[in-house]
Amino acid sequence: MSSDLSALLYLAASVCFIMALRGLSHPTTSRQGNIFGIVGMVLAIGTTLMAPGVVSFGTILLGLLVGGAIGTVIALRIQMTALPQLVAAFHSLVGLAAVCVALATFYKPEAYGIGRVGDIQISSLVELTIGTAVGAITFTGSVVAFAKLQGLVSGAPLVFKMQHMLNAALGALVVVLIVLLCTTQEPVYLWILIAVTLLLGFLLILPIGGADMPVVVSMLNSYSGWAACGIGFTLQNNLLIITGALVGSSGAILSYIMCKAMNRSFISVILGGFGAVDDDGPAGSSGDDDRMVKSGSGDDAAFLMKNAGSVVIVPGYGMAVAQAQHTLREMVDLLKADGVNVRYAIHPVAGRMPGHMNVLLAEASVPYDEVLEMDEINRDFKSTDVVFVIGANDITNPAAKTDPKSPIYGMPILEVDQAQTVLFVKRGMSAGYAGVQNELFFRDNTMMLFGDAKQMCEKIVKSLEQL
Amino acid sequence: MSSEEFINKATDVANSARALSDEVASLASEASRLAVDTAGQSAGSPFIMGLTVLVLAVFVGYYVVWNVTPALHSPLMAVTNAISSVIIVGALIAAGPADVGFSEIMGFIAIVLAAVNIFGGFIVAQRMLQMFKKKQ
């Protein structure tokens, strides 16, 4: 196949990938978008298979079958609550694949037409080393993120003295190694570079706490794109550059959205340490608060909601952990049958990755047009009779607006405090993820429903059926 | 000068003439390559071409991704994850040659890793998007 034709087919694949992302602008066009993505990938692989140097089809087919089978089984079996760790694990594979491709290129540059062993064009070598470094950081960083999300290691941030100094020193070492590698072309420097960047990936993500994982997952998403981009420069392949840039900017935008929703700067997330046990204790965070709270039963909640005109459900990750989303939807169905206007309100950081809560609700057959984003619903809370908060806490805390001393001050919240009555489903009085006590619990118009989220929903369903 | 010596001399001369002509030929090809390279300079080096594509693609990505509805941010991550495995293109070229060496093995590993991602990413995205179907 002529190189012009393959370049054109690669271009077509790039357009398919852009269309795949474009389709995600609305649920109705999204499945079509996914098909575009698959077509693009088939085009890309098919075109490469017809390249003159590619002849060992048996080996390639074996690789595709083995990988494809593993991927298919995992994707079909995974629970939607475990989605964040799945995505983190997938990111690590992209990183590792980038490192493998870079090594293959370094030891056989003639296959890619960028020189001979020991005499690789400098520009290609620089791009190759950058691709390797980003790939290696993505790999170990994602492994740590996976372990934290899966609960294999504690989600608490791991901070130690001189951490940032160490990371900075390693970063400088990476630059030195790249220079050495480019001037001497000695393989040993490439191997040291890989070892150092693997270590750096671990060290960068370890200090980041569980609460910041949505940002980390998006950030690693971005890194995996830039790694592909770096390899694309080495191979002088526009498809890789375009796709890498799409993925890279997508991850970066998601990180930005998440940071903004938590009122954190990107830098402070990267530096880590948020959510660490603070000895001083921020204002109002003392666990032994002895103020009175009003607590109620499932029957009380059922009565209140049944007689309300409008109810807004505010779900958080706690709902997903308790697997309460299906029972919750049953409850909502009963309320709707009684003519109550029920909607869901989603904070951008509800769940453990961007859009996670929307997927969990969709899984429980909640229609997507009943699920509203923070900006769409906030002005409606004033005219809402009952807000039902289930498994969420910090994202409703009015201290974020009123108390400049609070660690979450400035974070945009769902303004549930403006509603007539707030029902809080909670296991106990413990503070939220950010370690801050919620002022809302002690208000007169708040009723606490203590118990497991799923069992509480079941109780409410039962009393709704009897009412 | 004996005839044998004469033949030797003549062979030497012929050989050096051939060497010279080879050199001229290689010089000529070098010159033509340089000429092509210089002509190509108007479009910039491969790096500049790549950079052009990169910058434009970042802009496309920026506008397309801001248009993605927040409800579909999780499928977006699954899809971007799948398409970033387009790095499999490099892996296929590495694993392509018939002989088996270090590069081919690295290429094979990269094919397996990328294939897990491609299939896994697209299928999990499809599963999610299926849930966002309008219920009648």
Side-chain angles (χ1 to χ4, degrees):
Chain A
M1 187 187 305
S2 79
S3 58
D4 276 350
L5 181 56
S6 59
L8 279 177
L9 289 173
Y10 281 144
L11 177 63
S14 313
V15 173
C16 284
F17 289 156
I18 294 171
M19 296 299 287
L21 300 191
R22 179 86 188 88
L24 290 170
S25 56
H26 196 270
T28 48
T29 54
S30 59
R31 281 173 298 279
Q32 189 193 0
N34 207 32
I35 304 293
F36 265 115
I38 296 170
V39 170
M41 190 55 77
V42 171
L43 263 180
I45 294 176
T47 309
T48 314
L49 287 178
M50 282 184 272
V54 180
V55 290
S56 57
F57 295 111
T59 327
I60 290 172
L61 191 65
L62 179 70
L64 286 175
L65 283 178
V66 171
I70 298 173
T72 307
V73 170
I74 294 175
L76 289 178
R77 291 216 175 147
I78 194 78
Q79 294 242 323
M80 285 299 149
T81 37
L83 208 56
Q85 43 273 51
L86 176 79
V87 171
F90 279 169
H91 288 157
S92 75
L93 299 184
V94 182
L96 192 56
V99 174
C100 289
V101 172
L103 276 171
T105 315
F106 185 78
Y107 280 92
K108 210 170 188 180
E110 60 272 17
Y112 303 90
I114 55 163
R116 291 183 308 278
V117 177
D119 182 24
I120 303 173
Q121 292 164 21
I122 290 296
S123 59
S124 303
L125 204 52
V126 175
E127 294 147 10
L128 184 109
T129 48
I130 292 173
T132 313
V134 179
I137 291 174
T138 310
F139 173 55
T140 47
S142 303
V143 168
V144 175
F146 170 79
K148 286 197 175 201
L149 288 163
Q150 182 74 21
L152 299 178
V153 298
S154 154
L158 192 99
V159 239
F160 53 88
K161 272 187 185 153
M162 304 290 285
Q163 194 165 27
H164 300 317
M165 293 294 284
L166 178 65
N167 289 347
L170 285 175
L173 183 59
V174 168
V175 176
V176 172
L177 284 168
I178 291 178
V179 172
L180 280 174
L181 180 66
C182 292
T183 45
T184 64
Q185 307 239 359
E186 281 295 330
V188 63
Y189 292 122
L190 183 61
W191 288 102
I192 301 177
L193 177 73
I194 292 174
V196 171
T197 43
L198 285 175
L199 180 65
L200 196 54
F202 267 118
L203 292 174
L204 281 176
I205 307 301
L206 273 177
I208 303 180
D212 284 340
M213 275 306 136
V215 182
V216 172
V217 175
S218 330
M219 190 180 78
L220 291 166
N221 186 227
S222 183
Y223 284 4
S224 68
W226 300 126
C229 214
I231 301 295
F233 267 97
T234 315
L235 308 185
Q236 291 170 15
N237 184 317
N238 284 343
L239 172 63
L240 259 65
I241 297 178
I242 293 172
T243 314
L246 291 177
V247 177
S249 42
S250 160
I253 289 173
L254 291 180
S255 313
Y256 170 80
I257 293 174
M258 291 298 115
C259 281
K260 218 176 129 214
M262 294 192 290
N263 191 37
R264 314 268 326 272
S265 79
F266 193 63
I267 301 294
S268 78
V269 172
I270 303 293
L271 292 180
F274 188 72
V277 180
D278 194 349
D279 292 335
D280 303 336
S285 78
S286 51
D288 46 26
D289 215 319
D290 51 5
R291 283 179 289 174
M292 289 294 290
V293 296
K294 208 160 69 180
S295 86
S297 66
D299 292 334
D300 299 334
F303 181 78
L304 273 169
M305 287 195 281
K306 196 182 169 76
N307 292 306
S310 59
V311 171
V312 172
I313 315 269
V314 177
Y317 189 67
M319 177 207 72
V321 173
Q323 287 291 324
Q325 58 268 42
H326 295 276
T327 328
L328 178 70
R329 210 236 330 132
E330 272 179 55
M331 182 189 98
V332 171
D333 285 347
L334 287 172
L335 289 173
K336 280 200 285 192
D338 275 334
V340 183
N341 174 21
V342 188
R343 289 172 302 170
Y344 297 79
I346 305 233
H347 191 274
V349 292
R352 290 283 162 87
M353 69 185 276
H356 192 193
M357 197 51 65
N358 302 77
V359 172
L360 293 170
L361 291 178
E363 189 189 17
S365 306
V366 173
Y368 60 79
D369 44 10
E370 287 174 18
V371 182
L372 300 177
E373 302 297 323
M374 182 170 64
D375 300 337
E376 300 169 310
I377 191 92
N378 254 349
R379 59 175 172 273
D380 291 359
F381 279 119
K382 273 196 195 82
S383 54
T384 300
D385 296 327
V386 179
V387 171
F388 186 77
V389 184
I390 177 167
N393 185 356
D394 291 336
I395 55 169
T396 62
N397 194 339
K401 297 185 77 176
T402 55
D403 180 8
K405 277 183 296 198
S406 172
I408 58 168
Y409 181 70
M411 181 176 102
I413 55 161
L414 289 163
E415 292 161 10
V416 302
D417 53 316
Q418 297 183 351
Q420 290 284 318
T421 309
V422 182
L423 300 174
F424 250 103
V425 181
K426 232 175 158 300
R427 285 170 169 279
M429 284 300 290
S430 60
Y433 231 20
V436 197
Q437 190 59 273
N438 195 339
E439 218 29 52
L440 215 50
F441 298 165
F442 307 103
R443 296 210 174 168
D444 286 340
N445 61 345
T446 302
M447 183 191 278
M448 303 298 292
L449 305 169
F450 290 115
D452 173 77
K454 189 174 179 182
Q455 283 165 10
M456 184 52 73
C457 285
E458 280 164 358
K459 278 184 204 158
I460 298 174
V461 166
K462 218 171 267 168
S463 25
L464 278 175
E465 279 165 346
Q466 284 162 4
L467 275 174
Chain B
M1 194 189 282
S2 74
S3 64
E4 201 168 308
E5 264 179 82
F6 182 76
I7 291 170
N8 279 343
K9 271 262 160 62
T11 323
D12 279 354
V13 169
N15 279 342
S16 53
R18 188 176 302 143
L20 210 66
S21 85
D22 280 354
E23 210 159 304
V24 168
S26 80
L27 265 175
S29 80
E30 182 93 344
S32 71
R33 201 167 60 80
L34 274 175
V36 170
D37 277 3
T38 336
Q41 287 296 317
S42 59
S45 67
F47 174 74
I48 297 299
M49 287 302 291
L51 193 66
T52 310
V53 171
L54 171 70
V55 172
L56 293 178
V58 167
F59 272 93
V60 172
Y62 180 86
Y63 287 107
V64 170
V65 173
W66 272 116
N67 257 323
V68 173
T69 167
L72 294 180
H73 276 164
S74 284
L76 171 69
M77 291 193 96
V79 170
T80 51
N81 187 54
I83 65 172
S84 66
S85 301
V86 74
I87 204 161
I88 198 169
V89 165
L92 291 171
I93 297 172
D99 47 336
V100 176
F102 177 74
S103 290
E104 285 75 16
I105 294 171
M106 280 295 132
F108 179 74
I109 296 174
I111 289 178
V112 175
L113 296 174
V116 172
N117 243 337
I118 292 170
F119 281 75
F122 280 128
I123 291 174
V124 100
Q126 192 65 27
R127 262 186 72 193
M128 281 189 253
L129 296 176
Q130 215 60 36
M131 296 169 187
F132 281 93
K133 230 175 196 165
K134 199 92 177 157
K135 310 276 176 333
Q136 295 306 320

